[in-house]
Amino acid sequence: METPADPFYRQLPKVELHAHLNGSVSSETMEQLIARKPQLNIEHSMTAIRSGQRRTLDECFQVFKVIHQLVDSEEDILMVAKAVIQEFAADGVKYLELRSTPREETKTGLSKRRYVETVIEAIHQCKQEGVDIDVRFLVAIDRRNGTKVAMETVKLAEDFMLSSNGVVVGLDLSGDPTVGHGRDLLPALQKARNCGLKLALHLSEIPSQKEESELLLDLPPDRIGHGTFLHPEVGGSDTLVDKVCKQKIPIELCLTSNVTGQTVPSYDQHHFKYWYTRGHPCVLCTDDKGVFCTDLSQEYQLAASTFRLSQEDVWDLSQQAIHCSFAPEPVKQQLEQKWAKLRPVCLMSDTDEPSTPPLFYMDVPSRPALTSVLEKENG
Ligand code: IMP
Ligand code: ZN
């Protein structure tokens, strides 16, 4: 990460709902992993994409293969998961839903069950150590691995949903969008839904997934990851948009990830604008903060500067994310209380005469005004 976000964004209490564990490993932790495994000859430049650089989606997925070589034992997973949780907490994230694909590694004796248990152990240890963050876990299906593995993953997720004391709350569908078809995963996803797992599905990450998105939206998912090509302006369709809007399915939006992976040409053309100006629930997320060298504060700042959001707008975005989470209702209420307490610390009303220089000031339009600005820009 090159430049930290401004204090306002760092102090803002935040909710992170789309973070892949192995994509979130910081450069500091990566240094330790590389030092532990010198025989792999992995250099730091192979595990992260510096800001301003662009990669094809395929190149981004190659990076995960390298990281997986470095994180292949219980010990590694425990270290990585604890560090990632602590880093999100240090960035002002108060509620985090981590997701990860359980892997087995014969070399180290790691099983998929132990993989999930180790992530849960990391979450417990952070809680015991007093890290100020509530963490939940989504078990991920890698679409590349097909029907049978997807079904096994759902079974694993269901077992942990019942035995983890509320830590495992749902299922993620992710992996290289150019590989496999969602139709083959439908039975597994339906089973997951029926047993009470929440569904966060990567959807329409690339233009060719229209048919798949139609199918998956009928489940329906509880949240959409990216949804880059859903809307008609980029080759999606009104039918897809209607399905998303009617069911008010929140969309997890990851600006840096999409621009770096070149599925979105530039920040100002990010589909955040399309959904946000329609008042649809949007949640800013990092996706892979380690790989894309970002953090959630930076993503908020980026959205604010690109789309001219006021502090109030930014606050509302972060608060709205509470209700898009898979947290149980009492936890959402506790988070609401936390936000209410922190609001006067973070936001200063226009009439307040600041005794110290404001943390952040930008004379920008509020949300209705933003809508009209964008409408004018779009002719
Ligand atoms: P892990 O599941 O903790 O190992 O995190 C890395 C994995 O997350 C990758 O191997 C992909 O399967 C998935 N992933 C990370 N970022 C993306 C994305 O932008 N689209 C789809 N899948 C992703
Ligand atoms: Zn993702």
mmCIF file of all heavy atoms in Angstrom, residues 11-13 94 132 315 318-319 322 332-348:
data_model
loop_
_atom_site.group_PDB
_atom_site.id
_atom_site.type_symbol
_atom_site.label_atom_id
_atom_site.label_comp_id
_atom_site.label_asym_id
_atom_site.label_seq_id
_atom_site.Cartn_x
_atom_site.Cartn_y
_atom_site.Cartn_z
ATOM 1 N N GLN A 11 -10.761 6.577 10.422
ATOM 2 C CA GLN A 11 -11.565 6.599 11.658
ATOM 3 C C GLN A 11 -12.986 6.104 11.440
ATOM 4 O O GLN A 11 -13.647 5.656 12.381
ATOM 5 C CB GLN A 11 -11.617 8.019 12.207
ATOM 6 C CG GLN A 11 -10.294 8.451 12.807
ATOM 7 C CD GLN A 11 -10.414 9.795 13.514
ATOM 8 O OE1 GLN A 11 -11.490 10.386 13.578
ATOM 9 N NE2 GLN A 11 -9.308 10.271 14.043
ATOM 10 N N LEU A 12 -13.446 6.200 10.216
ATOM 11 C CA LEU A 12 -14.810 5.760 9.899
ATOM 12 C C LEU A 12 -14.978 4.284 10.301
ATOM 13 O O LEU A 12 -14.183 3.449 9.893
ATOM 14 C CB LEU A 12 -14.994 5.904 8.375
ATOM 15 C CG LEU A 12 -16.328 5.477 7.772
ATOM 16 C CD1 LEU A 12 -17.390 6.539 8.015
ATOM 17 C CD2 LEU A 12 -16.159 5.263 6.254
ATOM 18 N N PRO A 13 -16.001 3.957 11.113
ATOM 19 C CA PRO A 13 -16.213 2.529 11.395
ATOM 20 C C PRO A 13 -16.706 1.860 10.115
ATOM 21 O O PRO A 13 -17.530 2.421 9.404
ATOM 22 C CB PRO A 13 -17.298 2.545 12.476
ATOM 23 C CG PRO A 13 -18.008 3.844 12.315
ATOM 24 C CD PRO A 13 -17.008 4.822 11.750
ATOM 25 N N LYS A 94 -15.122 -2.910 11.887
ATOM 26 C CA LYS A 94 -15.722 -3.393 13.144
ATOM 27 C C LYS A 94 -16.417 -4.734 12.957
ATOM 28 O O LYS A 94 -16.686 -5.454 13.909
ATOM 29 C CB LYS A 94 -16.757 -2.379 13.668
ATOM 30 C CG LYS A 94 -16.203 -0.982 13.895
ATOM 31 C CD LYS A 94 -15.162 -0.997 14.991
ATOM 32 C CE LYS A 94 -14.523 0.372 15.176
ATOM 33 N NZ LYS A 94 -13.256 0.291 15.902
ATOM 34 N N ASP A 132 -10.699 -5.645 18.475
ATOM 35 C CA ASP A 132 -12.023 -5.017 18.426
ATOM 36 C C ASP A 132 -12.678 -5.212 17.059
ATOM 37 O O ASP A 132 -12.752 -4.281 16.246
ATOM 38 C CB ASP A 132 -11.865 -3.516 18.749
ATOM 39 C CG ASP A 132 -13.203 -2.789 18.690
ATOM 40 O OD1 ASP A 132 -14.256 -3.446 18.839
ATOM 41 O OD2 ASP A 132 -13.193 -1.558 18.451
ATOM 42 N N TRP A 315 -20.572 8.144 5.270
ATOM 43 C CA TRP A 315 -21.050 7.571 6.533
ATOM 44 C C TRP A 315 -22.243 6.642 6.269
ATOM 45 O O TRP A 315 -22.300 5.523 6.769
ATOM 46 C CB TRP A 315 -21.450 8.694 7.503
ATOM 47 C CG TRP A 315 -21.916 8.132 8.803
ATOM 48 C CD1 TRP A 315 -23.176 7.761 9.140
ATOM 49 C CD2 TRP A 315 -21.089 7.806 9.930
ATOM 50 N NE1 TRP A 315 -23.209 7.226 10.398
ATOM 51 C CE2 TRP A 315 -21.937 7.247 10.906
ATOM 52 C CE3 TRP A 315 -19.721 7.932 10.195
ATOM 53 C CZ2 TRP A 315 -21.459 6.805 12.146
ATOM 54 C CZ3 TRP A 315 -19.250 7.506 11.424
ATOM 55 C CH2 TRP A 315 -20.119 6.952 12.379
ATOM 56 N N SER A 318 -21.274 3.291 4.842
ATOM 57 C CA SER A 318 -20.683 2.349 5.801
ATOM 58 C C SER A 318 -21.758 1.821 6.755
ATOM 59 O O SER A 318 -21.756 0.649 7.108
ATOM 60 C CB SER A 318 -19.506 2.988 6.558
ATOM 61 O OG SER A 318 -19.913 3.523 7.784
ATOM 62 N N GLN A 319 -22.710 2.687 7.127
ATOM 63 C CA GLN A 319 -23.766 2.246 8.053
ATOM 64 C C GLN A 319 -24.725 1.259 7.368
ATOM 65 O O GLN A 319 -25.151 0.270 7.956
ATOM 66 C CB GLN A 319 -24.535 3.468 8.556
ATOM 67 C CG GLN A 319 -25.429 3.143 9.728
ATOM 68 C CD GLN A 319 -25.980 4.391 10.388
ATOM 69 O OE1 GLN A 319 -25.814 5.501 9.880
ATOM 70 N NE2 GLN A 319 -26.645 4.204 11.501
ATOM 71 N N ILE A 322 -24.027 -2.525 7.382
ATOM 72 C CA ILE A 322 -24.394 -3.367 8.539
ATOM 73 C C ILE A 322 -25.567 -4.256 8.147
ATOM 74 O O ILE A 322 -25.600 -5.444 8.459
ATOM 75 C CB ILE A 322 -24.796 -2.488 9.748
ATOM 76 C CG1 ILE A 322 -23.620 -1.638 10.220
ATOM 77 C CG2 ILE A 322 -25.355 -3.343 10.886
ATOM 78 C CD1 ILE A 322 -24.000 -0.598 11.299
ATOM 79 N N LYS A 332 -26.373 -6.892 14.605
ATOM 80 C CA LYS A 332 -26.600 -5.693 13.779
ATOM 81 C C LYS A 332 -26.987 -4.517 14.673
ATOM 82 O O LYS A 332 -26.538 -3.386 14.459
ATOM 83 C CB LYS A 332 -27.713 -5.956 12.756
ATOM 84 C CG LYS A 332 -27.298 -6.875 11.626
ATOM 85 C CD LYS A 332 -28.409 -7.010 10.617
ATOM 86 C CE LYS A 332 -28.028 -7.996 9.526
ATOM 87 N NZ LYS A 332 -29.109 -8.311 8.604
ATOM 88 N N GLN A 333 -27.807 -4.791 15.677
ATOM 89 C CA GLN A 333 -28.214 -3.710 16.585
ATOM 90 C C GLN A 333 -27.023 -3.166 17.372
ATOM 91 O O GLN A 333 -26.873 -1.960 17.551
ATOM 92 C CB GLN A 333 -29.290 -4.215 17.542
ATOM 93 C CG GLN A 333 -30.669 -4.244 16.885
ATOM 94 C CD GLN A 333 -31.684 -5.048 17.695
ATOM 95 O OE1 GLN A 333 -31.520 -5.214 18.902
ATOM 96 N NE2 GLN A 333 -32.704 -5.554 17.029
ATOM 97 N N GLN A 334 -26.156 -4.095 17.823
ATOM 98 C CA GLN A 334 -24.957 -3.640 18.550
ATOM 99 C C GLN A 334 -24.076 -2.774 17.646
ATOM 100 O O GLN A 334 -23.509 -1.770 18.075
ATOM 101 C CB GLN A 334 -24.131 -4.846 19.010
ATOM 102 C CG GLN A 334 -24.694 -5.553 20.240
ATOM 103 C CD GLN A 334 -24.111 -6.954 20.380
ATOM 104 O OE1 GLN A 334 -23.055 -7.265 19.832
ATOM 105 N NE2 GLN A 334 -24.802 -7.802 21.113
ATOM 106 N N LEU A 335 -23.972 -3.187 16.388
ATOM 107 C CA LEU A 335 -23.159 -2.403 15.442
ATOM 108 C C LEU A 335 -23.779 -1.034 15.220
ATOM 109 O O LEU A 335 -23.078 -0.015 15.204
ATOM 110 C CB LEU A 335 -22.998 -3.157 14.116
ATOM 111 C CG LEU A 335 -22.139 -4.432 14.164
ATOM 112 C CD1 LEU A 335 -22.271 -5.240 12.873
ATOM 113 C CD2 LEU A 335 -20.665 -4.108 14.414
ATOM 114 N N GLU A 336 -25.087 -0.992 15.107
ATOM 115 C CA GLU A 336 -25.800 0.294 14.955
ATOM 116 C C GLU A 336 -25.462 1.215 16.128
ATOM 117 O O GLU A 336 -25.211 2.408 15.944
ATOM 118 C CB GLU A 336 -27.315 0.064 14.908
ATOM 119 C CG GLU A 336 -27.852 -0.279 13.537
ATOM 120 C CD GLU A 336 -27.800 0.894 12.556
ATOM 121 O OE1 GLU A 336 -27.536 2.017 12.970
ATOM 122 O OE2 GLU A 336 -28.000 0.640 11.354
ATOM 123 N N GLN A 337 -25.454 0.641 17.341
ATOM 124 C CA GLN A 337 -25.139 1.450 18.535
ATOM 125 C C GLN A 337 -23.714 1.987 18.461
ATOM 126 O O GLN A 337 -23.424 3.127 18.813
ATOM 127 C CB GLN A 337 -25.332 0.621 19.800
ATOM 128 C CG GLN A 337 -26.800 0.459 20.175
ATOM 129 C CD GLN A 337 -27.032 -0.669 21.173
ATOM 130 O OE1 GLN A 337 -26.074 -1.178 21.764
ATOM 131 N NE2 GLN A 337 -28.274 -1.076 21.354
ATOM 132 N N LYS A 338 -22.818 1.115 18.011
ATOM 133 C CA LYS A 338 -21.418 1.522 17.867
ATOM 134 C C LYS A 338 -21.313 2.693 16.889
ATOM 135 O O LYS A 338 -20.618 3.680 17.143
ATOM 136 C CB LYS A 338 -20.621 0.320 17.354
ATOM 137 C CG LYS A 338 -19.189 0.295 17.767
ATOM 138 C CD LYS A 338 -18.540 -1.022 17.424
ATOM 139 C CE LYS A 338 -18.067 -1.741 18.674
ATOM 140 N NZ LYS A 338 -17.290 -2.932 18.433
ATOM 141 N N TRP A 339 -22.001 2.588 15.771
ATOM 142 C CA TRP A 339 -21.979 3.652 14.746
ATOM 143 C C TRP A 339 -22.542 4.955 15.338
ATOM 144 O O TRP A 339 -21.994 6.017 15.121
ATOM 145 C CB TRP A 339 -22.786 3.212 13.520
ATOM 146 C CG TRP A 339 -21.974 2.692 12.360
ATOM 147 C CD1 TRP A 339 -21.899 3.252 11.116
ATOM 148 C CD2 TRP A 339 -21.137 1.517 12.312
ATOM 149 N NE1 TRP A 339 -21.069 2.500 10.309
ATOM 150 C CE2 TRP A 339 -20.587 1.444 11.008
ATOM 151 C CE3 TRP A 339 -20.780 0.532 13.242
ATOM 152 C CZ2 TRP A 339 -19.721 0.419 10.609
ATOM 153 C CZ3 TRP A 339 -19.916 -0.486 12.850
ATOM 154 C CH2 TRP A 339 -19.402 -0.531 11.561
ATOM 155 N N ALA A 340 -23.644 4.815 16.097
ATOM 156 C CA ALA A 340 -24.272 6.015 16.672
ATOM 157 C C ALA A 340 -23.300 6.725 17.619
ATOM 158 O O ALA A 340 -23.223 7.953 17.646
ATOM 159 C CB ALA A 340 -25.550 5.615 17.409
ATOM 160 N N LYS A 341 -22.533 5.935 18.368
ATOM 161 C CA LYS A 341 -21.589 6.506 19.322
ATOM 162 C C LYS A 341 -20.425 7.203 18.606
ATOM 163 O O LYS A 341 -19.936 8.245 19.034
ATOM 164 C CB LYS A 341 -21.038 5.378 20.211
ATOM 165 C CG LYS A 341 -20.939 5.757 21.683
ATOM 166 C CD LYS A 341 -20.776 4.552 22.529
ATOM 167 C CE LYS A 341 -19.404 4.575 23.154
ATOM 168 N NZ LYS A 341 -19.103 3.306 23.843
ATOM 169 N N LEU A 342 -20.007 6.611 17.504
ATOM 170 C CA LEU A 342 -18.832 7.141 16.807
ATOM 171 C C LEU A 342 -19.154 8.296 15.855
ATOM 172 O O LEU A 342 -18.270 9.052 15.470
ATOM 173 C CB LEU A 342 -18.142 6.014 16.026
ATOM 174 C CG LEU A 342 -17.430 4.978 16.889
ATOM 175 C CD1 LEU A 342 -17.029 3.759 16.079
ATOM 176 C CD2 LEU A 342 -16.186 5.596 17.549
ATOM 177 N N ARG A 343 -20.425 8.423 15.509
ATOM 178 C CA ARG A 343 -20.815 9.429 14.513
ATOM 179 C C ARG A 343 -20.321 10.851 14.850
ATOM 180 O O ARG A 343 -19.675 11.504 14.019
ATOM 181 C CB ARG A 343 -22.333 9.403 14.319
ATOM 182 C CG ARG A 343 -22.794 10.203 13.126
ATOM 183 C CD ARG A 343 -24.307 10.182 13.013
ATOM 184 N NE ARG A 343 -24.727 11.313 12.232
ATOM 185 C CZ ARG A 343 -24.936 11.297 10.925
ATOM 186 N NH1 ARG A 343 -24.817 10.183 10.270
ATOM 187 N NH2 ARG A 343 -25.270 12.379 10.280
ATOM 188 N N PRO A 344 -20.589 11.329 16.083
ATOM 189 C CA PRO A 344 -20.131 12.701 16.371
ATOM 190 C C PRO A 344 -18.613 12.842 16.365
ATOM 191 O O PRO A 344 -18.088 13.936 16.127
ATOM 192 C CB PRO A 344 -20.685 12.983 17.778
ATOM 193 C CG PRO A 344 -21.367 11.754 18.243
ATOM 194 C CD PRO A 344 -21.302 10.711 17.200
ATOM 195 N N VAL A 345 -17.912 11.746 16.624
ATOM 196 C CA VAL A 345 -16.441 11.808 16.616
ATOM 197 C C VAL A 345 -15.940 11.947 15.172
ATOM 198 O O VAL A 345 -14.991 12.671 14.890
ATOM 199 C CB VAL A 345 -15.836 10.510 17.229
ATOM 200 C CG1 VAL A 345 -14.321 10.599 17.310
ATOM 201 C CG2 VAL A 345 -16.458 10.216 18.595
ATOM 202 N N CYS A 346 -16.600 11.244 14.272
ATOM 203 C CA CYS A 346 -16.123 11.212 12.884
ATOM 204 C C CYS A 346 -16.665 12.352 12.035
ATOM 205 O O CYS A 346 -15.970 12.887 11.178
ATOM 206 C CB CYS A 346 -16.530 9.902 12.219
ATOM 207 S SG CYS A 346 -15.611 8.499 12.824
ATOM 208 N N LEU A 347 -17.927 12.675 12.266
ATOM 209 C CA LEU A 347 -18.568 13.691 11.415
ATOM 210 C C LEU A 347 -18.721 14.988 12.175
ATOM 211 O O LEU A 347 -19.119 14.995 13.330
ATOM 212 C CB LEU A 347 -19.970 13.233 11.019
ATOM 213 C CG LEU A 347 -20.108 12.150 9.971
ATOM 214 C CD1 LEU A 347 -21.576 11.839 9.766
ATOM 215 C CD2 LEU A 347 -19.485 12.571 8.662
ATOM 216 N N MET A 348 -18.453 16.083 11.500
ATOM 217 C CA MET A 348 -18.703 17.367 12.134
ATOM 218 C C MET A 348 -19.775 18.076 11.332
ATOM 219 O O MET A 348 -19.679 18.111 10.100
ATOM 220 C CB MET A 348 -17.430 18.196 12.144
ATOM 221 C CG MET A 348 -16.636 17.967 13.400
ATOM 222 S SD MET A 348 -15.151 18.927 13.356
ATOM 223 C CE MET A 348 -14.162 17.987 12.268
#
